[in-house]
Amino acid sequence: SQLAEENSWALSVHEGESVTVNCSYKTSITALQWYRQKSGKGPAQLILIRSNEREKRNGRLRATLDTSSQSSSLSITATRCEDTAVYFCATYANSGTYQRFGTGTKLQVVP
Amino acid sequence: EAAVTQSPRNKVAVTGGKVTLSCNQTNNHNNMYWYRQDTGHGLRLIHYSYGAGSTEKGDIPDGYKASRPSQENFSLILELATPSQTSVYFCASGTESGNTLYFGEGSRLIVV
């Protein structure tokens, strides 16, 4: 079963704009990881946010976690063409020993 | 730098044939994983391993076997390949905390 899912299939923004990708999940978790996958490559981790954290930053990236609504967001500021990729959230549950991925949001940044 | 290497990168197999996808990691991670990626489904876990000699079923194990002969190597085996197993397969390694996975570049399998 899909225990995590991003809320948008695809987004398109112009370079320099900000964008937010949202994710909802269905079970209690210990951590949520955001990944980025560029065309022809494997996913690469961006930000890990634990269940006791509300916000985490990594350069132009900011992740939030709301355990009460079981949702997370990943915001990217000052987008660049190289941010074009598919973005996944993946949840790590208390009782599980592996991550479950959402279906991904395809982000296109155009000049 | 974390390194997970998959082979082959591309494979065409015939229905009913045997396919072995191999994965090697140099991260010295205990945990290794096989996911498949299909449009509309994201990444789904097939098998995983806690260490040499161990294999566990993930969410979609039917039609697949796994083998972990050493810390570094983890194979995915399709004994009787079917067209429904046409997909891109990703191997990953991770620490025991399981919070961060390091992925290979994928193996594209087409079963005809």
Side-chain angles (χ1 to χ4, degrees), chain A residues 2-3 8 11 23 33 61 75 86 88-89 95 100 104 108 111:
Chain A
Q2 202 69 33
L3 297 182
S8 298
L11 297 169
C23 165
Q33 179 78 270
L61 307 177
S75 297
V86 178
F88 293 95
C89 64
S95 60
R100 290 189 167 94
Q108 184 172 23

Side-chain angles (χ1 to χ4, degrees), chain A:
Chain A
S1 61
Q2 202 69 33
L3 297 182
E5 60 182 16
E6 295 79 7
N7 295 346
S8 298
W9 172 244
L11 297 169
S12 181
V13 298
H14 288 98
E15 205 170 19
E17 294 179 339
S18 297
V19 66
T20 297
V21 179
N22 296 301
C23 165
S24 58
Y25 58 91
K26 298 178 183 177
T27 64
S28 176
I29 63 171
T30 57
L32 186 144
Q33 179 78 270
W34 282 97
Y35 290 86
R36 174 171 61 194
Q37 183 179 26
K38 296 196 174 184
S39 181
K41 302 291 186 182
Q45 64 96 12
L46 295 175
I47 295 181
L48 170 69
I49 187 163
R50 293 186 168 83
S51 58
N52 62 349
E53 298 174 314
R54 292 297 169 257
E55 179 181 304
K56 202 86 170 279
R57 292 177 184 267
N58 180 8
R60 295 182 294 112
L61 307 177
R62 172 179 172 261
T64 65
L65 181 65
D66 184 342
T67 53
S68 62
S69 64
Q70 296 188 318
S71 63
S72 175
S73 69
L74 177 71
S75 297
I76 308 173
T77 58
T79 53
R80 305 167 182 167
C81 289
E82 54 262 39
D83 293 327
T84 292
V86 178
Y87 290 80
F88 293 95
C89 64
T91 55
Y92 184 71
N94 290 320
S95 60
T97 56
Y98 52 86
Q99 296 186 15
R100 290 189 167 94
F101 284 74
T103 53
T105 293
K106 188 172 185 178
L107 172 65
Q108 184 172 23
V109 181
V110 298

Side-chain angles (χ1 to χ4, degrees), chain B residues 25-41:
Chain B
Q25 57 110 350
T26 59
N27 306 321
N28 198 31
H29 288 155
N30 286 336
N31 296 351
M32 295 187 74
Y33 309 81
W34 276 106
Y35 286 86
R36 64 178 282 178
Q37 185 173 34
D38 304 286
T39 303
H41 290 282

Side-chain angles (χ1 to χ4, degrees), chain B residues 37-54:
Chain B
Q37 185 173 34
D38 304 286
T39 303
H41 290 282
L43 288 122
R44 294 178 291 172
L45 184 70
I46 306 169
H47 284 288
Y48 62 105
S49 169
Y50 295 126
S54 94

